[in-house]
Structures are given as C-alpha cells and as structure tokens.
Amino acid sequence: MEPPGDAKEDWQIFVDLAHKLGLQGFDFNSPEDIWNDVRRVTPSMSGISYARMEKPESVHWPCPSEDHPGTPILHREKFASADGLGHFFGLEHRPPAEVADTEYPFTLMTGRLLFHYHTRTQTGRAELLHHEVPAGYVQINSEDAARLKIQNGEKIKLTSRRGEVETIAKVTDEVAPGVLMMTMHFGDAAANMLTNTALDPLSKMPELKHSAVKVEKITGVQ
Amino acid sequence: MAAKGDMVYAWTTSPDIASVAECGGAVTGLLKYALENKIVDAVLAVKKGVDLYDAVPTIITDPAELSETAGSLHCGTLLLSKLVKKYLGGAEDMRLAVTVKGCDAMGLYELAKRNQVNLDNLLMIGVNCGGSVSPVTARKMIREKFGVDPDDVVKEEIDKGQFIIVTKDGQHKGISMDELEDEGYGRRSNCRRCKMKVPRQADLACGNWGVIGDKAGKATFVEVCSEKGADLLSRAAKAGAIATEPANPKGIEIRGKVENAMLKLGDKWRGRYFEGLGEGKERLQKMMEDASRCIKCYACIENCPICYCEECSTKKPYLVPPGVLPVPFMFHLIRFAHVADSCVNCGQCEENCPMEIANSLYMHALQTDMERMFGHTPGVDMELPVLALVEEQAERQRLSATGSDQIFDVFK
Ligand SMILES: Cc1cc2nc3c(=O)[nH]c(=O)nc-3n(C[C@H](O)[C@H](O)[C@H](O)COP(=O)(O)OP(=O)(O)OC[C@H]3O[C@@H](n4cnc5c(N)ncnc54)[C@H](O)[C@@H]3O)c2cc1C
Ligand code: SF4
Ligand code: SF4
Ligand code: SF4
C-alpha cells in the first residue's frame, strides 16, 4: 500500500533512523531486503522466499531451506522432544492470583472481537469495522443485570483493586452469571485499567483473563 | 465488407503478435488496430503476472504494449465487468475496448441496465469460453494428477475435452476434463454450470472452435455479432491489420456441434449441483448452515456485478444488527432478494469468499428457478428484470377483498 501524503513507509523510517544513529547493518533498499535478512538469521524461515510466497498456495513455516516443502501441519510425524513422542503430564490446579470475593463479586474475563485487532490503530480507521462495533462494552448475564436493575445499553461502573472503568452494559446469556466479559480493543472502555498484573511463573504472561471486579449503577445517569 | 451474422477465419498480419497469440491473434490484432486508429482510447485486457496462474487485468493505451496481453489464461478467474465501473468511471468519458468471456459480457450488460457502465462507449471483443480453473486447484491438479511441477508448465489449454499442459522441455500431456472433474479438480463450479459459451452479446465472438483444414491453429474463428463489430472487422481487414477468409462450412458445422455439446454438459452439471441442494426447506437448511460461517467481509458484495447500491441494505442496523455473530442470515437473504433475478453466475462471490461458502451455487440455483417462473434471462440483452409496479391502495384493497397473502400479484 502506498503511504498517504508525504509519509514514508514504516521500514524507510526505521532505516533512516538507524542511519542517523550511525548503526551498522541497516542498508536495506526494499521490504524484500529486510525479509531476506530475517531469513538469514531465522533458520525456520530461511526457505520462505518472496518468489515462493507469490505462488497461490504460498508456503508454511517452518521451512528451513529453499527446497523444503514447508510445514502446513506441525508435529505430524513427531514432536520436538528427545524421543519424538508427545508426553502427557499432570498439573496441580493453582487458582488464579485473584478470585471473586464478597467485595469484588464478579469474575472479569477479557478477550478479542472478530471485528477489531488489538488497540484498533488499524481496524479503528476502517469504516466498515467501525460500523460493526464502534465502542467498547461489557457483557453481563441477564440474571445479574436483573438483580442489579441494569438495562441493556446502560452505562455502568466497574471497579477492581487497581482501577475503575465506565462502560456500556450488554445484557446477554453468552456469559454465565457472576462472569463479565470485556474486550481489550477500546481506549474508552480500557479493560486493562481493571486487570491483574500477576505473572505466570513460567511464561511470564500477565493474568489478564481473570480478575475480580464489582459492578455499580451510575446514579443520576440513564 | 463484413456484416452482422458473418462467420470468418481471421488472423493477424503481424508476426510478432502471431508468435504470442492463442490462435490466429485476431483478437490482439483487432485491439491494436482499434487503439492505433483512435477508435478507442484504451484497451482493458488480461496479461500474465508472476506466472501463468496469475492473470492480471491491465489497461493499455500504448499499442506497442498490446502483445503482452495476447494468449488465453485459463486460470484467469477474474471478472472484468465491475472493473469498468469501479476504476474506469463506467466508461462514461472514454471509449474502451474490452476482451470479454461470457460472464464478463453478461456482467457488463447488467451494469449497463443499472446505469453503471455506458455500453455505447464499449467495444466488446468476445472470446468463446469453455471454462476457467482456480489457480490453487490448477497447481494442485498439475502436481497430483499430471505428476508435474506446476512451475515447469509453460502453457496450459483446454481443448477437445482435455486439460492440456506443455512443460518447459516441450512435453505435452492431456487428461480428460470429465475424469479430472469427477475427482474434484478441473473448472470452477460456476464454469461447469455455465451456458454462455459463445458471447454473442459482444460485438465479435472469437474462438478456436471450428477452425479446420490448413488454418487449424493459425486462425481465429470470428462471428460478427453487431454493426460495430462488422465495422471494426472490415476496417481492420481493409487496412491490412488482419487477414480474413470465409469460414469453412464444415468448420461452422463442427463449431455448432461443439457448442451444443458444451451446453448439454452445462445442463448436466446444473442438474447435478441443483439436485444436490435438494428442494424447499432442505435447500434452505443447507444454505443457512453453509452461510453461518460468514465473517461479513463483504467480498461477495464488492465483487458482484449486480451489486452497485451506494447505500447497501446489509449495512442498515434494523435489518442486519452490526457486530452480531454468527452473522444474521438476513445478510444473505438481502443478497438473494436483490440479486437472484439478475445473477449471471460469474462465480466471483464464491471465488473471493474467504470462508469458501458456495455463494454462487445458491444464487445461480435461485436465478434459474426465477428464470423458469418469469421468463427473464439476465446478461443477454438490455431487457430489464421483472419488476412489479403496484398501486398501493388498489393492492391493499385486493388483498383484503381476496384474503390473499400474495403481496405482488405477479402470477396473473
Ligand atoms: C478462459 C478461456 C477459455 C476459453 N475457452 C475456449 C473454448 O473452449 N473454445 C473456444 O473456441 N475458444 C475458447 N477461448 C478463446 C480462445 O482461447 C482465444 O482467446 C480466441 O480464439 C482468440 O484467439 P486469438 O489468437 O485471436 O487471441 P489473442 O490475440 O491471443 O488474444 C487473447 C485475448 O484474450 C484475453 N484473455 C486472456 N485470458 C483471459 C481471461 N481469463 N479473461 C478475459 N480475457 C482473457 C487477452 O487479454 C487477449 O485480449 C477461451 C479463452 C479463455 C480466456
Ligand atoms: S462463467 Fe462461463 S464464461 Fe465465465 S469463465 Fe466460467 S465458463 Fe467462462
Ligand atoms: S451473485 Fe455471485 S455469481 Fe451471481 S452475479 Fe453476483 S457475484 Fe456473480
Ligand atoms: S464473501 Fe463469504 S465471508 Fe465474506 S461476506 Fe460474503 S459470504 Fe460472508
């Protein structure tokens, strides 16, 4: 895609910046140059040339050499273990770092929508995707909503130990009672103001999919 | 002087064009003559992209570049009609020559009925079409059925019921289309059902069927279908851009037989596909199930030559609530209701669907039902689809008086 107006393509901006900083190894003249450099240092992708990607069936990673057919399905013949077999092992259940309690009685899950990508820097500019879902919201079960006298489409307040967010309630049976669901896409309904920063000990993934919150009506607003 | 209805053998007098053309190079020769002599401002044709599986539509204004577009690309599954509307202002302000397959020609007529292209400014050079094969299917078929690396193929053609490939070391290999298609390879499903084999609604209809004797393989069979076409052919022949001779009567007969055989084959496939869909509720159930995978990418609407509305009903929140998954079936019902009477079975809505929903099959099945009911055939001329003009007051009175629930009394 041509960059708009006088803008440069992203890769050119990085190359220019690297040159200004006097860095070596940034003498690229095209995205293909950069891709070839990626291939040079990434064995699993070294067989994926631009020419092969032009073919309608393209080529699947991992593909260690130009004459390798690519790998549409991983681990088909063997797993990446010493004996090539998949190993099952038991896991001790460990509860999430934070679970719902009387003060924060709802479990908040977060996730994605089909219609947006991450913080919407791209999808938020696409008129069609904006038409599908223009703003953030929280899904709440219809039983909970009835008990708290929350109407579909009403603005409500969510609070966790870390922060608070006001957003629109979508009353639904797609989530179970006691559970709320928010997406991560919207700045005006920033779910991560609420989520927990506890990390998984092994992968260091933050526990964004599970935190405890409370729900309040916003009085005086309808 | 050529006249409408004439059938001739024609070939280019340029050795350069002859060396790259599919048959006699008449098509490219005529296009070049039209461009050089300012009969048109530009030519819309198809050229080879990265390889012969990659057909790229292209606009040519320099006659010297026309030979890049010579030759047939049977993996060219694209539709040229809507490009004229989308990128060339509907040819409102330019005279344009276009090479058209049956579906391209039909799409242009449907767009013209809706005032989206100006047929007066179009010169349509038709090519007969036995069908096209999706690039991915073609490469898979060549690898698996022909045992050949698809990148070693330098030429493919569909001739005498066979799909034929020529490899770079000069080997020819052909397998019967019937065999390939019974095993799920071969032409696209809409092409199998297609019955627009000789596009007579274009100005000229060109092909290789019926070229026999010493001209076999060296001439293009041209049927003159309009005054415009007759004029172009006469002028180009007079100027020496192409040479012509009357078509061999035996050749004309053979061409007629091949065309008929193709139409019968089209009927056979229609039978197979439509019967497979079942009837009534069973059919609806199948369609709904398949459509439930829709991700609302709008590719079907974007590429359909019948869809042209500025304000598409599928974007009205009271009809199709936004953000809802699975996409409400109303999205598809709106397309069926708005398009089915005029669908030209071009296959674009299926070809471009990322979820591989058999959209064109459903629409084509509905179209053929409607054609039977109302006697309207889309894409062949400028006749408008059946519209019911209703006086609301009179209609309401009729409904309450008769107790009928048939809102528009179209069966009168
Ligand atoms: C998909 C396909 C199937 C065909 N099947 C038959 C058949 O079964 N029987 C028959 O008699 N003839 C068929 N033809 C027509 C035939 O192959 C020749 O195009 C025709 O005889 C003209 O020959 P020529 O040497 O004068 O054309 P050329 O001078 O070689 O010119 C060919 C023209 O076709 C255009 N073209 C190439 N591929 C496509 C495409 N995919 N879509 C639209 N335009 C394209 C080129 O841009 C060029 O303008 C088919 C053509 C195509 C494209
Ligand atoms: S739909 Fe008909 S005219 Fe169009 S490519 Fe297929 S067979 Fe050819
Ligand atoms: S509905 Fe599909 S097959 Fe029919 S004209 Fe539109 S795109 Fe072509
Ligand atoms: S092309 Fe397929 S997925 Fe996209 S909107 Fe149409 S039916 Fe749905």
Side-chain angles (χ1 to χ4, degrees), chain B residues 294-300 331-332 349 352-355 357 359:
Chain B
C294 174
I295 56 168
K296 227 185 188 183
C297 72
Y298 289 93
C300 47
F331 179 86
H332 294 268
C349 52
N352 290 292
C353 176
M355 300 314 289
I357 300 167
N359 288 312

Side-chain angles (χ1 to χ4, degrees), chain B residues 222-400:
Chain B
V222 182
E223 178 174 343
V224 182
C225 304
S226 75
E227 304 301 332
K228 228 198 256 181
D231 183 54
L232 175 69
L233 193 72
S234 305
R235 285 172 67 182
K238 193 156 168 240
I242 58 159
T244 63
E245 67 179 38
N248 182 327
K250 188 95 182 103
I252 298 178
E253 197 188 318
I254 292 175
R255 176 173 176 267
K257 280 191 182 147
V258 182
E259 186 186 0
N260 267 328
M262 290 302 291
L263 296 180
K264 284 214 183 83
L265 188 63
D267 278 327
K268 187 191 94 177
W269 278 113
R270 285 182 186 206
R272 273 217 220 171
Y273 276 107
F274 297 159
E275 274 155 34
L277 276 182
E279 294 282 342
K281 271 193 188 160
E282 186 199 344
R283 177 178 288 195
L284 180 63
Q285 191 65 40
K286 274 212 177 87
M287 286 159 58
M288 288 178 72
E289 227 162 79
D290 201 15
S292 70
R293 292 179 292 138
C294 174
I295 56 168
K296 227 185 188 183
C297 72
Y298 289 93
C300 47
I301 292 172
E302 230 7 78
N303 294 289
C304 176
I306 314 300
C307 286
Y308 72 102
C309 300
E310 293 284 329
E311 271 190 48
C312 180
S313 300
T314 59
K315 288 181 193 147
K316 304 256 185 265
Y318 56 87
L319 291 172
V320 185
V324 174
L325 289 174
V327 175
F329 191 58
M330 181 54 94
F331 179 86
H332 294 268
L333 282 177
I334 289 170
R335 262 184 58 70
F336 292 138
H338 292 187
V339 178
D341 60 5
S342 299
C343 169
V344 296
N345 183 39
C346 69
Q348 296 302 308
C349 52
E350 192 164 324
E351 181 83 9
N352 290 292
C353 176
M355 300 314 289
E356 301 187 349
I357 300 167
N359 288 312
S360 75
L361 170 60
Y362 308 136
M363 197 69 88
H364 190 208
L366 289 170
Q367 186 276 320
T368 54
D369 280 354
M370 290 183 75
E371 183 168 336
R372 215 168 299 129
M373 287 158 80
F374 302 115
H376 173 70
T377 314
V380 290
D381 53 27
M382 285 298 285
E383 188 189 289
L384 291 175
V386 197
L387 296 175
L389 185 63
V390 182
E391 195 79 59
E392 189 185 337
Q393 290 303 329
E395 195 59 16
R396 285 193 186 283
Q397 270 171 18
R398 185 183 64 80
L399 289 176
S400 72

Side-chain angles (χ1 to χ4, degrees), chain B residues 126-147:
Chain B
V127 289
N128 298 353
C129 186
S132 55
V133 185
S134 290
V136 175
T137 312
R139 289 174 62 87
K140 196 163 174 263
M141 170 172 90
I142 289 168
R143 193 176 293 116
E144 293 172 3
K145 285 292 293 178
F146 290 74

Side-chain angles (χ1 to χ4, degrees), chain A residues 3 24 32 65 67 106 108 111 113 121 123 145 149 160 168 173 192 205 208 215:
Chain A
Q24 302 289 310
E32 184 173 0
S65 64
D67 53 9
F106 283 92
L108 174 73
L113 289 174
T121 53
T123 54
K149 302 202 168 41
S160 78
I168 305 295
D173 291 328
N192 288 331
M205 277 291 279
L208 302 174
V215 173

Side-chain angles (χ1 to χ4, degrees), chain A residues 50-58 112-115 127-134 137 170 174, chain B residues 50-51 53 135-136 139 143 150-151 295-298 314-317 320-325 327:
Chain A
Y50 260 43
R52 289 184 77 180
M53 285 193 278
E54 288 282 5
K55 301 296 171 198
E57 68 273 17
S58 199
R112 293 168 167 82
L113 289 174
L114 175 65
F115 299 104
E127 210 181 304
L128 210 76
L129 299 172
H130 184 76
H131 162 80
E132 293 296 345
V133 188
Y137 57 83
K170 270 213 181 163
E174 284 182 11
Chain B
V50 292
D51 55 29
Y53 309 97
V136 175
R139 289 174 62 87
R143 193 176 293 116
D151 293 329
I295 56 168
K296 227 185 188 183
C297 72
Y298 289 93
T314 59
K315 288 181 193 147
K316 304 256 185 265
V320 185
V324 174
L325 289 174
V327 175

